[in-house]
Amino acid sequence: MFVSDRRQRALYWFFTWIVFALHLGRFFDFAAPSGLLVYQLALVGSYALLFLAPVWLIVQLAGRIAPRSAAVLAVVLAGIVQIALFGDHMLWKLYGFHLNGFVWNILTTPGGIAALGSSASTERDFALLALGFLVLQVLVFLAARLLARGAVPAPRLAWVLPLFLVVTVGERLGYAVSHFYGYTPLLENAQRVPFYQPLTMRGLFEKQLGWERPQRLTVAAAKLDGSLRYPQARLHIEAPARPLNIVWLVAESWRADTLDPRVMPQTHALVGRAQHFTRHFSGGNGTRIGVFSQFYSLPANLWFPVLDARVGSPLIQVLQNQDYQIKLFTSARFTYPEFDKTVFVDVPREQMVEDSEGEGWMRDRRNVDRLIEFVDQRDPSRPFMTFLFFESPHANYNFPPDAVIEPDYLEDFSYADMDLQRNIGGIHKRYINAVHHLDSQLGKLVENLERRGLLETTLVVITGDHGEEFMEKGRWGHNSTFVDEQVRVPLLLLVPGREPRRVDLRTSHADLLPTVLPLLGVTNPPSDYAIGHSLFDPQPNRVLLAGDWDRLAFLGEDYKLVLPFTSGSFTAMQISGADDRAVADESAVLRATMPTVQGEMGRLRRFLGH
């Protein structure tokens, strides 16, 4: 039996450790001329053993209570770890991050998994992969049983444990020294390991050993502590004599360069009639912060205080104060991200319509019809506001046959077995077709508003929540980096009484609230409720802010600097040029930009009190 056969147990755990190490080895490029092969092997070996340790401990305890179940438990738990490592590697390959709080939020929030846009083939392939890993672990168990009957030497804890300690201590010290001197090749390799726990010894090296750090850079962490104070002052409203209606249209994953005559002929035709902002940036590289920045004009690191405080958008508060008829539509879910607890927390549920059945383009068509019906049946004596979130351009980028303008698209793809290098062209063509369908629905809405004579009294906002990358800078999708492909979006404003114009200065989603609230009669200075500026008076040479679950990006005219929320360490930063290219001297850029960054952080603190 497994629990009583010492040789079989030792061989099983040794082979399982090898399997875990092979999984972790997929995170590294061992052929790269980095001179870090020994360190990479130390990471793989030590963390494979760390992931194995809790499985071993649980099986040991279970074996004392129910010896007959120990073998089954050993196989199942090790198989689950293999599945988790495979999934983590997929995340790392696609998006550059590991299983973390953001992923847990997706898995546990209603509507989160649906927001991933996985297809039936993806679900089937993942099920087969999970079964395959469990079968592999059974084979490991049978191989250990077979070899235990022969003369194959089994590893002993007496020599495995000292070797593990030596390797682990060496890896820990290597990271600490590299962190102290800012040796980024080693630090970057360490971050490839799932759940890597960094060790720093700056105090010991400086105070006890007298080592001198080559760079002494004080960095303000992007995390802001304190209770929320937003808006800073009560909003004062002088209701206009003729209030504007508002139609706010947001499209998922809509990147800026698709707004052209071929892909979006109907929407592009509006360019000559609208306020067109050609260098517009979302406040985030994902839906959560992309929408949050539009309706709060706040940066990403204030999402959590707003969520905790259940503070709604000032825009909704002003509209309700003026007795607007409000109807909100989404082709996703209001629960993921948690817009029912933030942006629209004050909106009654009967005024919120969500459609999550069928493919995204189908939902969009139904919601467009619902929005038109709402406008037709409203009380014409009262102003109205409506919001629609489109899903058409969201992965898997589905579309009807009549939307095809790129016929050589990838027919179907699965997250589990896709080859991005081979398939990205066909995937991109799927996206183009999906955006072309989005164009038809935007055109239908605007045409209906115009036919009813409502464009003369209605502010129309047309934009995206964030962009979408197709390996132009090394990633696919969004939520991974702050390259232009992931954060630049179209913005068109149809504003009654204002002449059309093209604005080429850099603008941000954080500018929408300071633009719209004054049109509704809010007399407060924008600094009371926003970090942005009015789009009618765009500012040159600005630092724009974008962010995600745990990072804040400072987007300057010449550079991009990314800071994590919870660390002020310069080794955790990312620095590039504004064009996303590597800079020749990161230290020089950092020294030049830190005063501006720290000034921005200081201004953000006004929205938090103690």
Side-chain angles (χ1 to χ4, degrees):
M1 296 175 63
F2 181 70
V3 291
S4 60
D5 191 329
R6 182 175 178 180
R7 283 175 53 76
Q8 182 184 343
R9 291 200 312 271
L11 286 170
Y12 173 79
W13 294 121
F14 176 72
F15 293 153
T16 301
W17 172 70
I18 294 294
V19 171
F20 286 7
L22 291 173
H23 274 292
L24 290 174
R26 300 172 66 223
F27 287 86
F28 296 92
D29 180 8
F30 293 106
S34 61
L36 292 171
L37 179 60
V38 173
Y39 183 74
Q40 291 170 332
L41 292 174
L43 281 170
V44 168
S46 59
Y47 269 81
L49 204 54
L50 284 172
F51 291 139
L52 182 64
V55 177
W56 176 86
L57 182 60
I58 293 172
V59 172
Q60 292 301 111
L61 294 174
R64 296 177 181 274
I65 301 171
R68 294 181 180 274
S69 66
V72 175
L73 192 62
V75 168
V76 171
L77 291 181
I80 290 173
V81 173
Q82 286 198 61
I83 295 168
L85 288 174
F86 176 85
D88 188 273
H89 179 261
M90 187 192 72
L91 284 174
W92 177 263
K93 182 176 66 174
L94 293 178
Y95 306 118
F97 56 77
H98 297 290
L99 295 169
N100 55 18
F102 171 63
V103 178
W104 180 251
N105 179 261
I106 290 176
L107 297 176
T108 58
T109 305
I113 295 178
L116 294 175
S118 63
S119 64
S121 60
T122 297
E123 296 167 2
R124 179 200 64 220
D125 291 345
F126 271 119
L128 290 174
L129 279 167
L131 179 61
F133 286 127
L134 290 173
V135 170
L136 173 61
Q137 202 59 39
V138 171
L139 294 176
V140 169
F141 179 85
L142 295 176
R145 170 177 285 184
L146 179 64
L147 293 174
R149 298 171 181 172
V152 177
R156 295 174 179 268
L157 189 63
W159 56 263
V160 171
L161 187 58
L163 179 61
F164 169 71
L165 291 175
V166 169
V167 170
T168 301
V169 169
E171 186 275 319
R172 303 273 79 193
L173 288 175
Y175 183 91
V177 173
S178 297
H179 178 272
F180 185 79
Y181 285 108
Y183 182 57
T184 53
L186 187 145
L187 300 174
E188 190 275 336
N189 271 273
Q191 297 307 313
R192 290 175 175 267
V193 176
F195 305 108
Y196 184 80
Q197 299 300 311
L199 174 70
T200 61
M201 298 182 177
R202 180 175 175 180
L204 173 65
F205 293 157
E206 284 187 334
K207 297 176 182 178
Q208 303 299 323
L209 300 181
W211 292 6
E212 184 176 349
R213 203 178 194 194
Q215 296 187 64
R216 297 180 180 276
L217 298 172
T218 302
V219 180
K223 183 177 181 180
L224 300 177
D225 297 315
S227 58
L228 187 69
R229 191 171 61 192
Y230 178 82
Q232 282 195 281
R234 182 178 179 180
L235 296 183
H236 299 283
I237 306 170
E238 296 178 1
R242 192 182 183 189
L244 290 175
N245 305 310
I246 298 177
V247 175
W248 202 298
L249 308 175
V250 181
E252 169 74 55
S253 306
W254 185 24
R255 58 186 267 175
D257 61 359
T258 60
L259 184 57
D260 66 27
R262 175 176 172 269
V263 180
M264 305 193 75
Q266 296 186 56
T267 310
H268 189 268
L270 298 174
V271 165
R273 305 167 55 189
Q275 306 270 314
H276 179 208
F277 299 87
T278 63
R279 299 175 66 200
H280 188 76
F281 289 79
S282 172
N285 59 11
T287 299
R288 172 180 283 102
I289 308 303
V291 173
F292 175 73
S293 58
Q294 293 178 48
F295 284 88
Y296 289 91
S297 186
L298 292 176
N301 50 350
L302 290 180
W303 160 268
F304 293 102
V306 168
L307 175 62
D308 292 342
R310 300 294 195 268
V311 173
S313 167
L315 173 65
I316 300 299
Q317 296 170 16
V318 170
L319 296 176
Q320 290 176 331
N321 177 273
Q322 298 186 36
D323 196 29
Y324 269 68
Q325 302 167 84
I326 298 176
K327 199 75 169 183
L328 313 176
F329 303 90
T330 178
S331 298
R333 298 282 296 276
F334 285 112
T335 56
Y336 186 83
E338 301 91 337
F339 296 138
D340 61 335
K341 298 179 178 65
T342 53
V343 181
F344 306 126
V345 66
D346 298 319
V347 179
R349 287 299 302 186
E350 62 269 19
Q351 297 176 11
M352 302 167 67
V353 177
E354 56 185 27
D355 188 338
S356 56
E357 298 298 324
E359 295 182 347
W361 66 269
M362 298 176 180
R363 304 176 224 159
D364 286 349
R365 287 189 171 186
R366 291 194 293 262
N367 275 331
V368 165
D369 290 340
R370 291 178 182 123
L371 191 154
I372 292 172
E373 182 181 16
F374 162 72
V375 171
D376 287 345
Q377 296 180 357
R378 78 193 191 283
D379 178 357
S381 66
R382 295 165 53 205
F384 71 89
M385 181 272 186
T386 187
F387 165 87
L388 174 51
F389 187 81
F390 293 87
E391 275 285 293
S392 289
H394 191 283
N396 285 352
Y397 319 122
N398 293 311
F399 45 85
D402 60 8
V404 175
I405 59 173
E406 291 283 359
D408 297 327
Y409 60 87
L410 187 67
E411 288 289 342
D412 185 31
F413 66 95
S414 166
Y415 286 93
D417 63 359
M418 73 172 68
D419 183 335
L420 283 178
Q421 298 301 325
R422 183 181 69 241
N423 299 143
I424 196 64
I427 294 173
H428 189 198
K429 289 177 180 178
R430 287 182 67 93
Y431 174 76
I432 294 299
N433 293 334
V435 173
H436 186 63
H437 175 262
L438 168 70
D439 177 65
S440 69
Q441 299 309 297
L442 291 172
K444 181 178 180 179
L445 277 176
V446 174
E447 189 273 333
N448 272 272
L449 292 172
E450 185 169 29
R451 182 152 34 91
R452 289 160 173 75
L454 288 171
L455 288 185
E456 297 176 2
T457 57
T458 302
L459 167 67
V460 182
V461 179
I462 306 175
T463 190
D465 59 346
H466 53 79
E468 191 83 340
E469 184 183 353
F470 293 91
M471 300 298 287
E472 293 92 345
K473 308 286 174 59
R475 298 291 181 190
W476 168 53
H478 54 274
N479 271 319
S480 56
T481 69
F482 297 95
V483 298
D484 278 9
E485 287 78 6
Q486 293 196 34
V487 293
R488 273 191 67 181
V489 295
L491 176 63
L492 297 175
L493 299 182
L494 295 172
V495 189
R498 285 192 172 264
E499 293 296 321
R501 64 169 180 164
R502 170 185 170 126
V503 178
D504 293 326
L505 290 175
R506 295 159 64 251
T507 54
S508 166
H509 273 352
D511 299 332
L512 281 166
L513 217 56
T515 305
V516 175
L517 289 190
L519 296 177
L520 300 175
V522 175
T523 59
N524 298 59
S527 58
D528 279 353
Y529 55 83
I531 62 170
H533 304 271
S534 172
L535 290 165
F536 302 142
D537 184 25
Q539 304 295 308
N541 302 316
R542 295 171 56 195
V543 174
L544 308 180
L545 297 183
D548 58 14
W549 182 264
D550 55 7
R551 296 174 297 173
L552 195 62
F554 298 81
L555 312 179
E557 289 283 358
D558 302 314
Y559 69 89
K560 293 180 180 178
L561 172 64
V562 182
L563 285 175
F565 288 178
T566 57
S567 173
S569 169
F570 73 90
T571 57
M573 294 181 183
Q574 298 171 12
I575 303 172
S576 70
D579 57 2
D580 301 313
R581 297 181 182 179
V583 296
D585 188 345
E586 290 189 358
S587 298
V589 172
L590 193 56
R591 283 192 292 269
T593 57
M594 282 316 300
T596 300
V597 169
Q598 290 172 334
E600 291 293 327
M601 293 301 300
R603 282 186 282 275
L604 296 184
R605 288 184 171 86
R606 71 182 186 271
F607 295 114
L608 292 172
H610 292 276

mmCIF file of all heavy atoms in Angstrom, residues 408-438:
data_model
loop_
_atom_site.group_PDB
_atom_site.id
_atom_site.type_symbol
_atom_site.label_atom_id
_atom_site.label_comp_id
_atom_site.label_asym_id
_atom_site.label_seq_id
_atom_site.Cartn_x
_atom_site.Cartn_y
_atom_site.Cartn_z
ATOM 1 N N ASP A 408 -10.707 36.177 -44.192
ATOM 2 C CA ASP A 408 -9.730 35.154 -43.795
ATOM 3 C C ASP A 408 -9.492 35.164 -42.287
ATOM 4 O O ASP A 408 -8.355 35.111 -41.825
ATOM 5 C CB ASP A 408 -8.412 35.383 -44.534
ATOM 6 C CG ASP A 408 -8.569 35.232 -46.044
ATOM 7 O OD1 ASP A 408 -9.393 34.405 -46.456
ATOM 8 O OD2 ASP A 408 -7.873 35.952 -46.781
ATOM 9 N N TYR A 409 -10.561 35.244 -41.523
ATOM 10 C CA TYR A 409 -10.425 35.262 -40.072
ATOM 11 C C TYR A 409 -10.302 33.839 -39.534
ATOM 12 O O TYR A 409 -10.655 32.863 -40.209
ATOM 13 C CB TYR A 409 -11.610 35.973 -39.431
ATOM 14 C CG TYR A 409 -12.951 35.353 -39.725
ATOM 15 C CD1 TYR A 409 -13.461 34.319 -38.937
ATOM 16 C CD2 TYR A 409 -13.729 35.809 -40.784
ATOM 17 C CE1 TYR A 409 -14.699 33.747 -39.204
ATOM 18 C CE2 TYR A 409 -14.970 35.246 -41.056
ATOM 19 C CZ TYR A 409 -15.445 34.227 -40.265
ATOM 20 O OH TYR A 409 -16.673 33.659 -40.529
ATOM 21 N N LEU A 410 -9.807 33.708 -38.311
ATOM 22 C CA LEU A 410 -9.722 32.409 -37.649
ATOM 23 C C LEU A 410 -11.122 31.971 -37.272
ATOM 24 O O LEU A 410 -11.827 32.671 -36.542
ATOM 25 C CB LEU A 410 -8.834 32.532 -36.402
ATOM 26 C CG LEU A 410 -8.494 31.235 -35.677
ATOM 27 C CD1 LEU A 410 -7.600 30.356 -36.538
ATOM 28 C CD2 LEU A 410 -7.810 31.542 -34.346
ATOM 29 N N GLU A 411 -11.539 30.827 -37.761
ATOM 30 C CA GLU A 411 -12.915 30.379 -37.571
ATOM 31 C C GLU A 411 -13.270 30.230 -36.097
ATOM 32 O O GLU A 411 -14.335 30.629 -35.647
ATOM 33 C CB GLU A 411 -13.130 29.049 -38.294
ATOM 34 C CG GLU A 411 -13.178 29.173 -39.813
ATOM 35 C CD GLU A 411 -14.442 29.846 -40.313
ATOM 36 O OE1 GLU A 411 -15.420 29.914 -39.544
ATOM 37 O OE2 GLU A 411 -14.460 30.308 -41.471
ATOM 38 N N ASP A 412 -12.382 29.605 -35.335
ATOM 39 C CA ASP A 412 -12.627 29.415 -33.907
ATOM 40 C C ASP A 412 -11.277 29.273 -33.233
ATOM 41 O O ASP A 412 -10.304 28.818 -33.846
ATOM 42 C CB ASP A 412 -13.474 28.173 -33.648
ATOM 43 C CG ASP A 412 -13.842 28.036 -32.165
ATOM 44 O OD1 ASP A 412 -13.974 29.081 -31.503
ATOM 45 O OD2 ASP A 412 -13.979 26.905 -31.689
ATOM 46 N N PHE A 413 -11.202 29.702 -32.001
ATOM 47 C CA PHE A 413 -9.955 29.499 -31.278
ATOM 48 C C PHE A 413 -10.251 29.249 -29.816
ATOM 49 O O PHE A 413 -11.238 29.711 -29.271
ATOM 50 C CB PHE A 413 -8.997 30.677 -31.452
ATOM 51 C CG PHE A 413 -9.449 31.975 -30.844
ATOM 52 C CD1 PHE A 413 -9.038 32.338 -29.572
ATOM 53 C CD2 PHE A 413 -10.263 32.852 -31.546
ATOM 54 C CE1 PHE A 413 -9.433 33.544 -29.016
ATOM 55 C CE2 PHE A 413 -10.661 34.050 -30.996
ATOM 56 C CZ PHE A 413 -10.252 34.403 -29.719
ATOM 57 N N SER A 414 -9.353 28.507 -29.204
ATOM 58 C CA SER A 414 -9.485 28.138 -27.803
ATOM 59 C C SER A 414 -8.305 28.709 -27.037
ATOM 60 O O SER A 414 -7.157 28.599 -27.479
ATOM 61 C CB SER A 414 -9.512 26.615 -27.658
ATOM 62 O OG SER A 414 -9.329 26.238 -26.308
ATOM 63 N N TYR A 415 -8.592 29.313 -25.883
ATOM 64 C CA TYR A 415 -7.522 29.826 -25.041
ATOM 65 C C TYR A 415 -6.556 28.703 -24.639
ATOM 66 O O TYR A 415 -5.378 28.951 -24.397
ATOM 67 C CB TYR A 415 -8.103 30.444 -23.767
ATOM 68 C CG TYR A 415 -8.780 31.776 -23.965
ATOM 69 C CD1 TYR A 415 -10.148 31.852 -24.198
ATOM 70 C CD2 TYR A 415 -8.068 32.956 -23.901
ATOM 71 C CE1 TYR A 415 -10.785 33.069 -24.366
ATOM 72 C CE2 TYR A 415 -8.687 34.185 -24.071
ATOM 73 C CZ TYR A 415 -10.047 34.234 -24.308
ATOM 74 O OH TYR A 415 -10.671 35.442 -24.485
ATOM 75 N N ALA A 416 -7.058 27.491 -24.564
ATOM 76 C CA ALA A 416 -6.250 26.399 -24.031
ATOM 77 C C ALA A 416 -5.139 25.966 -24.974
ATOM 78 O O ALA A 416 -4.083 25.528 -24.518
ATOM 79 C CB ALA A 416 -7.147 25.205 -23.703
ATOM 80 N N ASP A 417 -5.360 26.054 -26.285
ATOM 81 C CA ASP A 417 -4.356 25.509 -27.202
ATOM 82 C C ASP A 417 -3.963 26.462 -28.322
ATOM 83 O O ASP A 417 -3.362 26.048 -29.310
ATOM 84 C CB ASP A 417 -4.869 24.197 -27.806
ATOM 85 C CG ASP A 417 -6.119 24.387 -28.656
ATOM 86 O OD1 ASP A 417 -6.599 25.533 -28.754
ATOM 87 O OD2 ASP A 417 -6.618 23.398 -29.211
ATOM 88 N N MET A 418 -4.311 27.750 -28.200
ATOM 89 C CA MET A 418 -3.981 28.684 -29.266
ATOM 90 C C MET A 418 -2.471 28.887 -29.383
ATOM 91 O O MET A 418 -1.723 28.796 -28.403
ATOM 92 C CB MET A 418 -4.660 30.030 -29.032
ATOM 93 C CG MET A 418 -4.064 30.863 -27.921
ATOM 94 S SD MET A 418 -4.748 32.516 -27.827
ATOM 95 C CE MET A 418 -6.412 32.193 -27.319
ATOM 96 N N ASP A 419 -2.041 29.137 -30.593
ATOM 97 C CA ASP A 419 -0.654 29.507 -30.885
ATOM 98 C C ASP A 419 -0.697 30.953 -31.373
ATOM 99 O O ASP A 419 -1.023 31.218 -32.535
ATOM 100 C CB ASP A 419 -0.066 28.579 -31.933
ATOM 101 C CG ASP A 419 1.405 28.866 -32.214
ATOM 102 O OD1 ASP A 419 1.843 30.011 -31.987
ATOM 103 O OD2 ASP A 419 2.110 27.957 -32.665
ATOM 104 N N LEU A 420 -0.389 31.888 -30.483
ATOM 105 C CA LEU A 420 -0.553 33.300 -30.833
ATOM 106 C C LEU A 420 0.310 33.708 -32.015
ATOM 107 O O LEU A 420 -0.117 34.500 -32.866
ATOM 108 C CB LEU A 420 -0.238 34.175 -29.617
ATOM 109 C CG LEU A 420 -1.329 34.238 -28.544
ATOM 110 C CD1 LEU A 420 -0.874 35.103 -27.382
ATOM 111 C CD2 LEU A 420 -2.629 34.777 -29.128
ATOM 112 N N GLN A 421 1.538 33.211 -32.060
ATOM 113 C CA GLN A 421 2.408 33.595 -33.167
ATOM 114 C C GLN A 421 1.816 33.168 -34.504
ATOM 115 O O GLN A 421 1.937 33.874 -35.503
ATOM 116 C CB GLN A 421 3.795 32.959 -32.976
ATOM 117 C CG GLN A 421 4.524 33.411 -31.719
ATOM 118 C CD GLN A 421 4.743 34.912 -31.667
ATOM 119 O OE1 GLN A 421 4.966 35.556 -32.709
ATOM 120 N NE2 GLN A 421 4.692 35.488 -30.479
ATOM 121 N N ARG A 422 1.159 32.017 -34.518
ATOM 122 C CA ARG A 422 0.586 31.515 -35.763
ATOM 123 C C ARG A 422 -0.806 32.088 -36.024
ATOM 124 O O ARG A 422 -1.177 32.341 -37.175
ATOM 125 C CB ARG A 422 0.514 29.986 -35.705
ATOM 126 C CG ARG A 422 0.003 29.339 -36.998
ATOM 127 C CD ARG A 422 -0.078 27.829 -36.898
ATOM 128 N NE ARG A 422 -1.138 27.402 -35.985
ATOM 129 C CZ ARG A 422 -0.947 26.701 -34.895
ATOM 130 N NH1 ARG A 422 0.282 26.361 -34.525
ATOM 131 N NH2 ARG A 422 -1.970 26.330 -34.124
ATOM 132 N N ASN A 423 -1.590 32.307 -34.976
ATOM 133 C CA ASN A 423 -3.008 32.632 -35.135
ATOM 134 C C ASN A 423 -3.351 34.103 -34.994
ATOM 135 O O ASN A 423 -4.498 34.476 -35.259
ATOM 136 C CB ASN A 423 -3.838 31.859 -34.107
ATOM 137 C CG ASN A 423 -3.722 30.359 -34.244
ATOM 138 O OD1 ASN A 423 -3.702 29.634 -33.269
ATOM 139 N ND2 ASN A 423 -3.632 29.864 -35.477
ATOM 140 N N ILE A 424 -2.417 34.949 -34.558
ATOM 141 C CA ILE A 424 -2.798 36.313 -34.189
ATOM 142 C C ILE A 424 -3.375 37.091 -35.368
ATOM 143 O O ILE A 424 -4.272 37.926 -35.196
ATOM 144 C CB ILE A 424 -1.596 37.068 -33.563
ATOM 145 C CG1 ILE A 424 -2.081 38.320 -32.842
ATOM 146 C CG2 ILE A 424 -0.536 37.376 -34.610
ATOM 147 C CD1 ILE A 424 -2.978 38.063 -31.680
ATOM 148 N N GLY A 425 -2.906 36.816 -36.581
ATOM 149 C CA GLY A 425 -3.457 37.520 -37.737
ATOM 150 C C GLY A 425 -4.932 37.216 -37.929
ATOM 151 O O GLY A 425 -5.746 38.118 -38.151
ATOM 152 N N GLY A 426 -5.281 35.931 -37.831
ATOM 153 C CA GLY A 426 -6.678 35.536 -37.976
ATOM 154 C C GLY A 426 -7.537 36.025 -36.825
ATOM 155 O O GLY A 426 -8.718 36.339 -37.010
ATOM 156 N N ILE A 427 -6.958 36.086 -35.619
ATOM 157 C CA ILE A 427 -7.684 36.610 -34.458
ATOM 158 C C ILE A 427 -7.967 38.096 -34.648
ATOM 159 O O ILE A 427 -9.065 38.582 -34.371
ATOM 160 C CB ILE A 427 -6.882 36.364 -33.171
ATOM 161 C CG1 ILE A 427 -6.792 34.857 -32.886
ATOM 162 C CG2 ILE A 427 -7.507 37.089 -31.981
ATOM 163 C CD1 ILE A 427 -5.867 34.512 -31.734
ATOM 164 N N HIS A 428 -6.957 38.826 -35.139
ATOM 165 C CA HIS A 428 -7.134 40.264 -35.373
ATOM 166 C C HIS A 428 -8.246 40.516 -36.397
ATOM 167 O O HIS A 428 -9.031 41.465 -36.258
ATOM 168 C CB HIS A 428 -5.814 40.876 -35.844
ATOM 169 C CG HIS A 428 -5.831 42.364 -35.895
ATOM 170 N ND1 HIS A 428 -4.925 43.101 -36.606
ATOM 171 C CD2 HIS A 428 -6.659 43.279 -35.305
ATOM 172 C CE1 HIS A 428 -5.177 44.393 -36.472
ATOM 173 N NE2 HIS A 428 -6.228 44.524 -35.680
ATOM 174 N N LYS A 429 -8.329 39.669 -37.400
ATOM 175 C CA LYS A 429 -9.379 39.843 -38.403
ATOM 176 C C LYS A 429 -10.762 39.589 -37.805
ATOM 177 O O LYS A 429 -11.741 40.235 -38.204
ATOM 178 C CB LYS A 429 -9.107 38.931 -39.593
ATOM 179 C CG LYS A 429 -7.906 39.381 -40.423
ATOM 180 C CD LYS A 429 -7.595 38.420 -41.552
ATOM 181 C CE LYS A 429 -6.384 38.926 -42.348
ATOM 182 N NZ LYS A 429 -6.005 37.995 -43.440
ATOM 183 N N ARG A 430 -10.856 38.651 -36.871
ATOM 184 C CA ARG A 430 -12.116 38.480 -36.153
ATOM 185 C C ARG A 430 -12.503 39.794 -35.460
ATOM 186 O O ARG A 430 -13.665 40.216 -35.482
ATOM 187 C CB ARG A 430 -12.000 37.375 -35.101
ATOM 188 C CG ARG A 430 -11.943 35.968 -35.626
ATOM 189 C CD ARG A 430 -11.871 34.979 -34.466
ATOM 190 N NE ARG A 430 -13.098 34.986 -33.694
ATOM 191 C CZ ARG A 430 -14.122 34.164 -33.895
ATOM 192 N NH1 ARG A 430 -14.052 33.256 -34.856
ATOM 193 N NH2 ARG A 430 -15.201 34.231 -33.138
ATOM 194 N N TYR A 431 -11.511 40.417 -34.837
ATOM 195 C CA TYR A 431 -11.752 41.676 -34.114
ATOM 196 C C TYR A 431 -12.251 42.762 -35.079
ATOM 197 O O TYR A 431 -13.201 43.494 -34.765
ATOM 198 C CB TYR A 431 -10.469 42.110 -33.418
ATOM 199 C CG TYR A 431 -10.538 43.464 -32.754
ATOM 200 C CD1 TYR A 431 -11.202 43.641 -31.546
ATOM 201 C CD2 TYR A 431 -9.926 44.572 -33.335
ATOM 202 C CE1 TYR A 431 -11.261 44.880 -30.934
ATOM 203 C CE2 TYR A 431 -9.981 45.811 -32.729
ATOM 204 C CZ TYR A 431 -10.646 45.963 -31.534
ATOM 205 O OH TYR A 431 -10.698 47.207 -30.934
ATOM 206 N N ILE A 432 -11.602 42.866 -36.236
ATOM 207 C CA ILE A 432 -12.011 43.878 -37.214
ATOM 208 C C ILE A 432 -13.460 43.665 -37.627
ATOM 209 O O ILE A 432 -14.257 44.621 -37.723
ATOM 210 C CB ILE A 432 -11.081 43.838 -38.439
ATOM 211 C CG1 ILE A 432 -9.660 44.276 -38.047
ATOM 212 C CG2 ILE A 432 -11.612 44.729 -39.554
ATOM 213 C CD1 ILE A 432 -9.552 45.676 -37.521
ATOM 214 N N ASN A 433 -13.846 42.432 -37.866
ATOM 215 C CA ASN A 433 -15.241 42.150 -38.226
ATOM 216 C C ASN A 433 -16.197 42.508 -37.094
ATOM 217 O O ASN A 433 -17.288 43.041 -37.323
ATOM 218 C CB ASN A 433 -15.388 40.671 -38.587
ATOM 219 C CG ASN A 433 -14.658 40.300 -39.867
ATOM 220 O OD1 ASN A 433 -14.438 41.140 -40.731
ATOM 221 N ND2 ASN A 433 -14.281 39.036 -39.988
ATOM 222 N N ALA A 434 -15.781 42.215 -35.858
ATOM 223 C CA ALA A 434 -16.630 42.539 -34.702
ATOM 224 C C ALA A 434 -16.797 44.052 -34.548
ATOM 225 O O ALA A 434 -17.884 44.542 -34.230
ATOM 226 C CB ALA A 434 -16.028 41.926 -33.440
ATOM 227 N N VAL A 435 -15.715 44.802 -34.766
ATOM 228 C CA VAL A 435 -15.795 46.262 -34.678
ATOM 229 C C VAL A 435 -16.659 46.814 -35.812
ATOM 230 O O VAL A 435 -17.388 47.801 -35.632
ATOM 231 C CB VAL A 435 -14.384 46.887 -34.691
ATOM 232 C CG1 VAL A 435 -14.462 48.406 -34.774
ATOM 233 C CG2 VAL A 435 -13.610 46.477 -33.440
ATOM 234 N N HIS A 436 -16.578 46.182 -36.957
ATOM 235 C CA HIS A 436 -17.439 46.612 -38.068
ATOM 236 C C HIS A 436 -18.912 46.434 -37.690
ATOM 237 O O HIS A 436 -19.759 47.281 -38.032
ATOM 238 C CB HIS A 436 -17.113 45.805 -39.322
ATOM 239 C CG HIS A 436 -17.845 46.256 -40.549
ATOM 240 N ND1 HIS A 436 -17.678 47.515 -41.090
ATOM 241 C CD2 HIS A 436 -18.769 45.623 -41.340
ATOM 242 C CE1 HIS A 436 -18.442 47.642 -42.162
ATOM 243 N NE2 HIS A 436 -19.132 46.513 -42.322
ATOM 244 N N HIS A 437 -19.229 45.369 -36.970
ATOM 245 C CA HIS A 437 -20.598 45.205 -36.491
ATOM 246 C C HIS A 437 -20.957 46.281 -35.475
ATOM 247 O O HIS A 437 -22.069 46.821 -35.500
ATOM 248 C CB HIS A 437 -20.794 43.825 -35.868
ATOM 249 C CG HIS A 437 -22.164 43.668 -35.260
ATOM 250 N ND1 HIS A 437 -22.395 43.846 -33.907
ATOM 251 C CD2 HIS A 437 -23.366 43.412 -35.820
ATOM 252 C CE1 HIS A 437 -23.690 43.686 -33.671
ATOM 253 N NE2 HIS A 437 -24.294 43.422 -34.795
ATOM 254 N N LEU A 438 -20.039 46.591 -34.567
ATOM 255 C CA LEU A 438 -20.262 47.683 -33.617
ATOM 256 C C LEU A 438 -20.638 48.961 -34.365
ATOM 257 O O LEU A 438 -21.549 49.687 -33.951
ATOM 258 C CB LEU A 438 -19.005 47.902 -32.772
ATOM 259 C CG LEU A 438 -18.963 49.175 -31.932
ATOM 260 C CD1 LEU A 438 -19.967 49.103 -30.789
ATOM 261 C CD2 LEU A 438 -17.553 49.420 -31.387
#
